Amino acid sequence: MSELAQLSERAIMAAAASHALRSRERLSVSQWADAHRVLTSKQSGETGRWRTNRNPMLREIMDSLSVHSPVREVVVMKSSQVGVTEASVNWLGYIIDHAHYPVMVLMPTLEARDTWKIQKLNPLLTDTVCIRDILGGIRSRDATMSKEVIDFPGGILFLAGGNSPNSYAQKSVRFLMMDDLDRFPIEIGEEGDPVELARSRVKAFPRHKLLFASTPTIRGASLIEREYLAGDQRHYHVACPHCGERQILKWANVKTNLLLNEAWYVCEHNGCVIEEHHKNGMLLGGIWIPDVPEKTRRSYHISAIYAPIGLGPSWLDLMHHFKRVYKEPVQLKTFINSDLGEPWEDQTDKLRPHDIARRAGEYSLGTIPPGCLALTAGVDTQDKWLAITLLGWGANNRHWIIDWVEIQGDTTSPEVWNELEAYLHKPITNSYGQQMKIRAAAIDSRGHRTEQVKNFVMRTSHRIPIYSAQGHTARMGRAIAQTGSYPGKTSSGKTLKHGYCVWNIGTEYCKDFIFANLAADTDRQPEERVFNFPQGLADEYYDGLLSEVYDPEKKRYIPRVGARYKRNEPLDTAVYAWAVGQHRDINLGRGRTGRPDPKYWERLAVLLEPVGIEPRVNPEPVPVIENGEASVVGGRIKLGQSKRFGK
Ligand SMILES: [Zn+2]
């Protein structure tokens, strides 16, 4: 080869290398995913090669995570099942293959991290060929085994959980992703705000990237909403296939005829009927447009209304889901958060005692109205009195406050407890003349009377289940724990099978249910209300019931401001009474399996509300206190020093 030819060949090679380098630099995350990513049945309904065109909304989101993009922070407030998690896994594949820098994935808990690793990350490590090759045979196996660290040439991937701050305290990375942001603890260790903590991990790299993704929770309390609003708030605008006008897809414009099992979309501009089969084409032509273009941080909103056909719920699926839950605020919240990707508007701060008091129905304190088929009691322990709420249960999630009683007296003395025992065991006659027993009771064992509560619960004279209970400080996903805590032990340390134990109550969960329904009852017909109140409850009762309000910042219920809200026993005892009905051995409204049993209340109604008997309802308040102390109340209970907290 001549010298000239050698030179030119070298030049060509150099040019090619520099071109390769340049194109390598310019590779975007979506290009990488289209070239390399393979989906398996483990993580996706659709298997085979990743195609960004299949879910085109994700293209801009992924590409703003590319190394050459000037975007530093990407926030995605989303519904579940819209592919954002897969897009974030594509980013990790891109980083391992292409952008060799340290990267961290932060999940809300170590458990969430482990699940995500197995379901989402491991398929990338084993089934996407170039990643498997990079990690090499044995290393790839190690990588799927290791929970915390994955080494790759030029970089390292840390996997951490928000409940374990030590696992990432000192790490510095260029790329960081936080999934499920709203499930993180509000304060992480001493570092505080999870978002600030993430920012501090990447600050050593000026050209860092942060990805925050989550379904939102409660408006004002949601971290992802806060970050979304701090960004430029992009929505995906799609063109109507008929008139061509661009618009954001909104839930209010999804229409349905459930009889015909059809759902469609009505064009906002000209009322054109858009059928679901138009959707994929509309998505391909869609563009992200910021609401607040002057903000530099990127933030995106995605709702499941945009889910590509076959990759998420259809409009009809969403309608079916909505129709199932729209009357139930707790489930409706899940729909708004997880399907529409929007924060839930909490209503509790708008509740007022006199508005609830006005709902008092056509039955009196201490009497059982038609429809009420079971009773539970919640008891609060103070130094000088016991407070009791008797809660009624019936079909369709309906509840009645049946009684509200204070037994006054020194709670270190047995007399007060004897009265409580008498009260809890006395049957009450319902409006059909049938006797009803209280099904179960829960007594607050925190406070100053732990020993007395234990002694009372362990009395052998009880003929109904009575549980010692305590509010659990951490948020629980249920009303009452499935197993007891602090169980009694034998002298040799063996757990006693039928010994004393304390049942944790998911107080936040219970209060969500109570307050959400008190709020939703405002718009319900009286016969549909979830919480019903008798004639004759004192104003103080309603003040106490509303003694707390949800604090979006603290993410929990806090005392309402004002002296009238000082007494919180009406709320606490309602929580205990509602929770104990869901104890695993009580399970009101449910079958043996613990699942809702539609025949449960029908069977009870046959016994307690016999056909042919006219119910006798007493609309007049029952006299409560006579001669200042001993009282005969409604002719059914006699309690020495006790009084109803009545008018
Ligand atoms: Zn149109």
Side-chain angles (χ1 to χ4, degrees):
M1 200 185 286
S2 73
E3 204 172 319
L4 193 67
Q6 269 184 3
L7 267 176
S8 72
E9 190 175 14
R10 238 179 272 148
I12 290 165
M13 279 169 67
S18 110
H19 176 77
L21 198 68
R22 261 205 318 278
S23 67
R24 205 172 158 78
E25 270 174 7
R26 302 304 296 182
L27 185 73
S28 72
V29 175
S30 69
Q31 285 166 346
W32 181 89
D34 283 328
H36 299 290
R37 185 75 197 285
V38 174
L39 295 171
T40 62
S41 54
K42 276 189 212 110
Q43 77 269 44
S44 170
E46 261 181 22
T47 59
R49 280 205 100 109
W50 171 276
R51 286 182 297 133
T52 304
N53 272 350
R54 191 70 184 84
N55 199 347
M57 288 182 297
L58 300 178
R59 183 184 305 279
E60 185 185 300
I61 296 172
M62 286 195 285
D63 290 352
S64 52
L65 295 165
S66 310
V67 181
H68 56 265
S69 150
V71 177
R72 293 284 156 259
E73 289 192 19
V74 177
V75 175
V76 188
M77 182 167 78
K78 63 182 184 80
S79 40
S80 47
Q81 306 179 33
V82 284
V84 174
T85 303
E86 285 312 323
S88 66
V89 171
N90 287 341
W91 184 38
L92 295 177
Y94 167 92
I95 293 167
I96 295 172
D97 183 27
H98 177 75
H100 304 150
Y101 282 96
V103 51
M104 184 183 293
V105 174
L106 257 178
M107 291 289 171
T109 60
L110 291 176
E111 299 70 38
R113 175 200 70 182
D114 294 347
T115 310
W116 170 87
K117 168 99 193 327
I118 291 165
Q119 287 179 350
K120 300 294 178 185
L121 185 63
N122 281 355
L124 172 82
L125 306 181
T126 55
D127 302 331
T128 293
V129 177
C130 69
I131 300 295
R132 193 174 56 207
D133 290 349
I134 286 168
L135 296 175
I138 291 171
R139 277 210 355 236
S140 132
R141 219 172 309 137
D142 284 350
T144 57
M145 299 300 286
S146 164
K147 284 178 171 175
E148 281 164 11
V149 181
I150 294 170
D151 255 313
F152 59 89
I156 187 163
L157 168 57
F158 299 109
L159 308 168
N163 56 348
S164 174
N166 294 340
S167 62
Y168 49 86
Q170 304 303 323
K171 312 274 191 312
S172 178
V173 293
R174 178 171 174 189
F175 307 117
L176 190 147
M177 121 190 180
M178 261 174 134
D179 205 352
D180 250 346
L181 184 61
D182 275 18
R183 303 272 174 280
F184 273 79
I186 189 90
E187 301 261 308
I188 297 185
E190 288 167 1
E191 305 199 52
D193 190 302
V195 172
E196 290 311 318
L197 179 138
R199 289 191 180 124
S200 72
R201 296 282 81 83
V202 299
K203 64 173 188 275
F205 292 88
R207 298 181 64 201
H208 58 255
K209 299 249 179 221
L210 285 161
L211 169 64
F212 301 107
S214 187
T215 55
T217 49
I218 294 171
R219 176 148 291 152
S222 162
L223 285 177
I224 198 73
E225 183 204 25
R226 185 188 77 190
E227 296 306 313
Y228 174 78
L229 294 175
D232 63 0
Q233 301 163 44
R234 289 174 184 235
H235 288 100
Y236 204 60
H237 293 243
V238 291
C240 169
H242 305 295
C243 68
E245 293 280 355
R246 281 202 184 278
Q247 55 203 291
I248 301 168
L249 297 185
K250 294 175 188 148
W251 180 239
N253 296 334
V254 179
K255 303 293 173 193
T256 183
N257 182 333
L258 288 178
L259 285 176
L260 296 176
N261 222 23
E262 284 176 353
W264 62 94
Y265 194 90
V266 176
C267 162
E268 189 166 88
H269 296 278
N270 295 305
C272 321
V273 172
I274 303 173
E275 291 175 49
E276 186 130 25
H277 66 82
H278 289 118
K279 189 159 68 173
N280 285 2
M282 291 160 72
L283 292 174
L284 266 177
I287 42 170
W288 286 105
I289 300 178
D291 284 357
V292 194
E294 56 275 19
K295 293 200 177 169
T296 50
R297 221 180 286 158
R298 283 285 171 92
S299 63
Y300 296 90
H301 177 251
I302 307 182
S303 99
I305 307 170
Y306 285 95
I309 296 166
L311 287 183
S314 66
W315 292 337
L316 189 62
D317 292 337
L318 291 174
M319 262 304 167
H320 278 301
H321 187 192
F322 178 71
K323 294 280 173 193
R324 268 201 315 278
V325 303
Y326 76 101
K327 284 183 174 173
E328 300 300 332
V330 177
Q331 293 178 48
L332 180 61
K333 173 178 176 293
T334 308
F335 175 83
I336 302 284
N337 291 161
S338 300
D339 288 30
L340 301 187
E342 285 171 15
W344 167 256
E345 193 90 49
D346 181 69
Q347 301 289 333
T348 57
D349 63 334
K350 298 191 183 79
L351 289 169
R352 293 292 173 267
H354 58 266
D355 293 330
I356 310 286
R358 243 182 264 139
R359 294 178 196 166
E362 302 195 330
Y363 69 105
S364 317
L365 192 61
T367 68
I368 299 178
C372 173
L373 299 167
L375 302 169
T376 55
V379 183
D380 185 66
T381 316
Q382 302 283 339
D383 289 357
K384 297 284 176 207
W385 70 87
L386 300 172
I388 311 165
T389 284
L390 208 54
L391 182 71
W393 299 64
N396 301 319
N397 220 4
R398 298 197 71 200
H399 295 280
W400 292 262
I401 300 299
I402 298 298
D403 209 355
W404 165 245
V405 174
E406 279 180 4
I407 299 177
Q408 291 180 331
D410 183 350
T411 48
T412 55
S413 76
E415 287 80 30
V416 178
W417 297 97
N418 294 344
E419 278 196 22
L420 176 65
E421 183 170 344
Y423 180 88
L424 294 177
H425 286 83
K426 182 87 182 170
I428 307 175
T429 305
N430 75 1
S431 34
Y432 293 80
Q434 308 298 311
Q435 290 209 325
M436 287 175 66
K437 282 196 301 184
I438 295 173
R439 296 284 290 273
I443 307 180
D444 183 15
S445 69
R446 283 169 320 172
H448 302 159
R449 299 290 181 256
T450 308
E451 259 330 281
Q452 284 81 359
V453 172
K454 179 176 176 180
N455 292 340
F456 179 74
V457 168
M458 292 305 283
R459 284 184 184 187
T460 53
S461 47
H462 295 318
R463 298 182 307 278
I464 61 167
I466 297 176
Y467 303 100
S468 172
Q470 63 177 14
H472 196 48
T473 44
R475 188 169 256 281
M476 280 165 58
R478 54 191 318 127
I480 187 165
Q482 283 182 299
T483 52
S485 301
Y486 321 112
K489 301 252 166 95
T490 62
S491 51
S492 61
K494 248 180 91 180
T495 301
L496 285 164
K497 205 170 175 201
H498 299 289
Y500 178 78
C501 62
V502 180
W503 296 83
N504 279 327
I505 305 273
T507 41
E508 301 286 314
Y509 181 93
C510 297
K511 287 170 187 174
D512 278 352
F513 178 84
I514 292 170
F515 285 123
N517 278 296
L518 287 176
D521 281 348
T522 311
D523 300 323
R524 288 181 177 134
Q525 294 299 316
E527 64 277 10
E528 288 183 339
R529 284 185 193 139
V530 166
F531 283 102
N532 299 275
F533 299 90
Q535 297 286 335
L537 278 168
D539 293 343
E540 290 89 331
Y541 174 84
Y542 295 102
D543 294 345
L545 187 66
L546 296 188
S547 58
E548 293 188 8
V549 64
Y550 192 79
D551 181 340
E553 262 176 42
K554 298 203 173 83
K555 285 192 173 182
R556 61 182 172 79
Y557 292 90
I558 58 161
R560 237 176 239 260
V561 180
R564 64 187 292 193
Y565 299 117
K566 226 172 76 192
R567 297 283 295 276
N568 61 1
E569 298 100 282
L571 175 61
D572 284 353
T573 52
V575 163
Y576 279 54
W578 187 68
V580 78
Q582 296 166 77
H583 187 282
R584 64 174 192 207
D585 295 333
I586 310 299
N587 261 334
L588 294 180
R590 291 166 187 269
R592 288 225 170 78
T593 55
R595 287 197 205 95
D597 175 0
K599 299 273 184 225
Y600 184 96
W601 299 111
E602 282 175 36
R603 286 197 297 268
L604 272 179
V606 169
L607 297 171
L608 294 170
E609 300 188 341
V611 180
I613 298 180
E614 274 299 304
R616 274 185 49 217
V617 185
N618 183 359
E620 292 300 312
V622 180
V624 179
I625 299 181
E626 288 164 1
N627 306 326
E629 45 155 43
S631 51
V632 177
V633 185
R636 63 182 180 83
I637 31 172
K638 216 174 197 171
L639 299 173
Q641 292 292 309
S642 45
K643 65 160 185 169
R644 274 234 189 82
F645 211 74
K647 271 179 178 158

